[in-house]
Amino acid sequence: MHRRIAQARSLAARVRRPSHGDAVGLIYGVMAVLLMAYLVLLIVRPADQSSTAIDGWGVDAFELFAGVLCIVGGIRRRPGSVVPIVLGAAVISWGLGDLVFTIESLGGATPPSPGPADALYLGFFALSYVAVVLLVRGETRRLSSPTWLDGSVAGLGAGAVCAAFAFSAIVRQTHASGLGVAVNLAYPVGDVLLLLLVVGGTAVMSGRRKAPWLLLAAGFTINVLGDTSNLLQSASHLGVVINSAAWPISSAMLSGAMWLRPGLTDPLAEQKPPGFLLPGLAAGAGLTILFVGTLTPLNHVAALLATATLLLVVLRTSLSVRTLRAQTRERHQQSVTDHLTGLANRRRLFGALDMFFAQPAGDRPELALLFIDLNGFKRINDSFGHTVGDEVLGQVSARLARTLRPTDLLARVGGDEFAAMLVNAGVEQTATIAGRLSASLNEPFQFDAVSAEIGASVGIARTPDDAADGEGLLECADAAMYRAKLSSSRFAFYDRELDRGGNKLKLADDLSAAIDGDQLVLHYQPQLDLRSDRIDTVEALVRWRHPEFGLIGPLSFLPLAEQAGLMDRLTRWVLTHALAQCAAWRATGRPLRVSVNVSISDLRDPGFPATVASLLDRMRLRADALMIEITETSIIDEFERVQQAVSALGQLGVDVSIDDFGAGFTSLAYLNDLAVEEMKLDRRFIAPLAGGVRSRDSEVVRATIELGHALGLQVVAEGIEDDAALELLRDLGCDIAQGYGIGRPAPAGELSFDAMPAPAPARMLARRA
Ligand code: C2E
Ligand code: CA
Ligand code: CA
């Protein structure tokens, strides 16, 4: 109920607020109509007629009202600002002057000059000046120096023009002397100063903020017209019209300017570079005045202002030229720099290559282009986030740069891809540099508490043999890099035979054919159950027996399979063969279970659990013959899908294990919501346990094992390479152990199951290992 009332109130407030503005707007509308009517009256009325009621009281009342409205309307539009009050006071001061003048003129009397009315008129100038200065200060606080100078130039230029023409005419026409001259001079001087300020202010305001300023400038300009016409005591019809209408119009405009809402500055608007139009115009005006001064005598004020204008224009222009030059240089630098690493970017690399190939073929030195692709960078990015990823890229850049010669160009050409352009490097020197490059990345990368290993594969293309332009050279280097990656070499030179058309597309085709043509093979790695000292489970790990490159590890081609959309076929192949092998073992009386790795794209497929079920069925295996491993990072990426897939597999009776646990910082809340049975600690946790020494690292492992147990999971430790680590893990309460120290992955036929007597662990040796 209360909320309803509050809502209604706030609604009413919202509706009411614009109606205030509308009311004031309406008043200004009526004032405009009155002014129009007055103007028409002045025009149609003979020049020598006037009425005290209209030209006297009426105009006085109008001006005073405009002053009051300026304060009332302005305060609402510019809360907290004293400008409307001061300007309103100025207009009121003028109105009072007019009022005094009207009273003094009653009965056809001639008011004294200078008299009390003049004091009030001059009060207008003083107050207006203060108001405009405050307004300029308030609105230009954040302006750059060229903008400031623009304002000054425009103001001075306007002042010079004003002084040269209106002002000098006024002075010449004034016949009074002493105080009279001083007072009469105060008007044009006041006008010139005000106009100077307002024109300057208008020039520096941008867009919608300009509107109030334009109205102010118009108001003060009309004021100048009125003053001029008054001082010239023009008796012409036009003179009388201007004389009578100028001040009421001007006061309405000044008042309205305070009421106009100053537009908001648009934060998205592009900062306009300083223009040259305004200083140009002012310079033109200044020059014209000085030129006229050489023909006819000119007053000193005008000459001084014109000279000052020109000097400022020179200053302003040289400043702009300097700014523009600096901007151009900076933009060029930015456009060829990789913002993350500060290395050259792709554009810079291609610029350099184009320059190289623009030389006559005979004069070109030898050139080698190295394409460097990081291995395992995506994993770091996925596990630790982009901030760490960015930092790693920075460290990688620094290391790469250190291994190159000062004359070589290192560029970052893509996410985790770099290129180095080596001019004047023979085959041998290039090979040395490439070896150094990849060796420089072998040291683990350190950031905060974690360390990560990143390797790189380097492909090399050379002129003139491999390509005749930059684009071609980079393609060749890329193809060679891919071969290096697949064959686990640190670097490879482009080879026309091997890499012919050898891009990723062709490799994807190769991989697709490999799946169909049974070029894939499975190796199995045993898992030792520390509770029973028996080997119950083996993990199936895929390899690609490539006809040209030999046996390729999964980390080299799984990303390709993922990219090329081949993952579902690959997983199906692995599942089929792993389950067939499992069935074969079971047929010979060995009750093993296989553990198969699946990727996130498999879990995304809603048909995946059904595929698993039908394959189990085909091999006549129970669901507990299979374990599915999913990596922790894939869980983080798409938790809901993973959750669905895991529960569907659970319904089949297939257990699920979280692989590489600890690599991705899964929130414990997630872990609790996932129906998994097993947790496999990432190798990174186990590596420091080599040698079996207890340390902080082993405490982390102990706590993680306890956590797994608390969640009802069995815990597997991977990457155990020596007996000491195995014993330590047994002590820490680990359930299952896997690693080279227990057995390397090997083809099914090469595994042997020689159990060792307890308490030493049962040992299963791969004969190849
Ligand atoms: P993973 O699932 O963590 O597999 C363990 C990896 O660690 C294997 O590398 C294995 O050879 C290696 N390893 C085992 N014991 C030790 C040890 O004591 N020390 C060291 N340094 N390494 C050890 P591999 O075979 O190269 O497999 C790499 C990754 O490829 C696997 O990591 C898994 O994520 C993925 N993978 C392998 N086969 C498949 C598959 O059939 N399907 C999918 N989706 N992924 C697979
Ligand atoms: Ca695994
Ligand atoms: Ca693992």
Side-chain angles (χ1 to χ4, degrees), residues 22-363:
D22 290 348
V24 179
L26 202 72
I27 296 173
Y28 277 114
V30 172
M31 286 169 73
V33 172
L34 283 176
L35 280 175
M36 292 297 274
Y38 183 49
L39 207 59
V40 171
L41 175 78
L42 286 173
I43 291 169
V44 299
R45 197 173 67 179
D48 51 359
Q49 268 184 31
S50 67
S51 124
T52 308
I54 299 175
D55 302 294
W57 305 120
V59 167
D60 299 346
F62 185 91
E63 287 168 359
L64 288 172
F65 184 70
V68 172
L69 201 59
C70 178
I71 296 177
V72 174
I75 284 180
R76 192 161 284 147
R77 279 299 148 91
R78 298 159 186 270
S81 166
V82 291
V83 177
I85 302 174
V86 181
L87 193 67
V91 174
I92 290 174
S93 178
W94 188 277
L96 288 175
D98 270 355
L99 188 65
V100 170
F101 192 84
T102 307
I103 295 169
E104 286 171 346
S105 327
L106 278 180
T110 307
S113 173
D118 282 310
L120 287 162
Y121 289 145
L122 293 179
F124 163 80
F125 285 114
L127 288 167
S128 299
Y129 187 79
V130 172
V132 173
V133 167
L134 286 177
L135 197 62
V136 170
R137 267 229 340 239
E139 300 215 4
T140 55
R141 217 162 274 155
R142 291 151 297 127
L143 291 179
S144 58
S145 52
T147 324
W148 260 111
L149 279 175
D150 265 357
S152 317
V153 165
L156 276 178
V161 173
C162 194
F165 299 107
F167 191 8
S168 63
I170 291 165
V171 175
R172 245 178 281 135
Q173 286 286 326
T174 315
H175 307 298
S177 60
L179 183 64
V181 169
V183 169
N184 281 337
L185 262 177
Y187 290 91
V189 169
D191 280 337
V192 168
L193 272 179
L194 272 178
L195 206 68
L196 203 135
L197 262 175
V198 175
V199 171
T202 312
V204 301
M205 289 302 135
S206 61
R208 281 192 56 200
R209 293 180 81 89
K210 255 200 173 106
W213 282 93
L214 283 174
L215 207 57
L216 270 187
F220 286 122
T221 308
I222 290 176
N223 217 46
V224 172
L225 281 180
D227 284 350
T228 313
S229 151
N230 186 42
L231 273 162
L232 299 180
Q233 305 195 324
S234 164
S236 70
H237 191 77
L238 182 65
V240 171
V241 171
I242 293 178
N243 210 354
S244 312
W247 290 303
I249 293 181
S250 161
S251 60
M253 282 179 156
L254 299 184
S255 161
M258 287 299 101
W259 173 72
L260 267 192
R261 195 189 293 276
L264 297 174
T265 13
D266 178 2
L268 299 181
E270 226 181 303
Q271 272 242 322
K272 271 191 236 151
F276 287 93
L277 178 68
L278 206 84
L281 277 180
L287 279 175
T288 311
I289 289 168
L290 290 181
F291 177 68
V292 169
T294 62
L295 302 179
T296 63
L298 192 70
N299 70 68
H300 294 315
V301 179
L304 209 72
L305 285 175
T307 310
T309 310
L310 284 178
L311 283 177
L312 264 193
V313 165
V314 171
L315 186 66
R316 156 75 170 77
T317 312
S318 68
L319 226 128
S320 297
V321 168
R322 259 184 40 194
T323 314
L324 284 180
R325 205 186 290 146
Q327 277 178 352
T328 313
R329 207 180 306 129
E330 191 186 313
R331 289 212 182 122
H332 173 73
Q333 199 53 40
Q334 277 174 354
S335 75
V336 296
T337 308
D338 172 54
H339 67 98
L340 187 67
T341 58
L343 297 180
N345 64 9
R346 213 184 166 87
R347 181 196 299 234
R348 168 93 177 81
L349 177 72
F350 275 108
L353 286 171
D354 287 347
M355 214 128 94
F356 176 85
F357 283 106
Q359 297 169 290
D363 300 348

Side-chain angles (χ1 to χ4, degrees), residues 379 539 597 629 631 658-661 680-683 718 738:
R379 189 177 139 129
E539 178 177 3
N597 297 279
E629 295 189 13
T631 60
I658 301 183
D659 203 355
D660 301 342
F661 183 82
K680 287 184 89 167
L681 287 186
D682 194 61
R683 265 215 318 274
E718 281 191 281
Q738 178 181 351

Side-chain angles (χ1 to χ4, degrees), residues 346-347 349-357 367 369 371 413 421 461 463 466-479 494:
R346 213 184 166 87
R347 181 196 299 234
L349 177 72
F350 275 108
L353 286 171
D354 287 347
M355 214 128 94
F356 176 85
F357 283 106
L367 170 73
L369 187 68
F371 194 98
V413 291
M421 182 174 160
T463 60
D466 299 340
D469 60 17
E471 200 85 47
L473 206 59
L474 195 70
E475 265 169 34
C476 292
D478 187 18
Y494 179 75

Side-chain angles (χ1 to χ4, degrees), residues 519-533:
Q519 278 177 22
L520 299 184
V521 287
L522 285 181
H523 284 189
Y524 297 90
Q525 187 174 31
Q527 294 183 349
L528 177 68
D529 192 316
L530 297 174
R531 296 160 296 196
S532 62
D533 270 334

Side-chain angles (χ1 to χ4, degrees), residues 557-632:
F557 63 88
L558 288 177
L560 177 68
E562 198 80 70
Q563 269 173 30
L566 297 169
M567 208 56 177
D568 54 338
R569 281 172 52 208
L570 186 135
T571 303
R572 203 187 160 86
W573 186 97
V574 171
L575 270 172
T576 308
H577 289 76
L579 289 177
Q581 182 59 51
C582 181
W585 274 319
R586 291 193 168 204
T588 61
R590 210 176 284 283
L592 285 174
R593 155 154 103 164
V594 284
S595 195
V596 170
N597 297 279
V598 303
S599 90
I600 181 68
S601 58
D602 298 316
L603 300 178
R604 235 180 255 144
D605 172 12
F608 179 68
T611 305
V612 171
S614 91
L615 286 174
L616 283 169
D617 203 42
R618 203 163 98 199
M619 307 297 168
R620 300 188 191 292
L621 285 171
R622 293 206 342 238
D624 62 9
L626 178 66
M627 169 79 101
I628 295 284
E629 295 189 13
I630 56 181
T631 60
E632 189 195 16

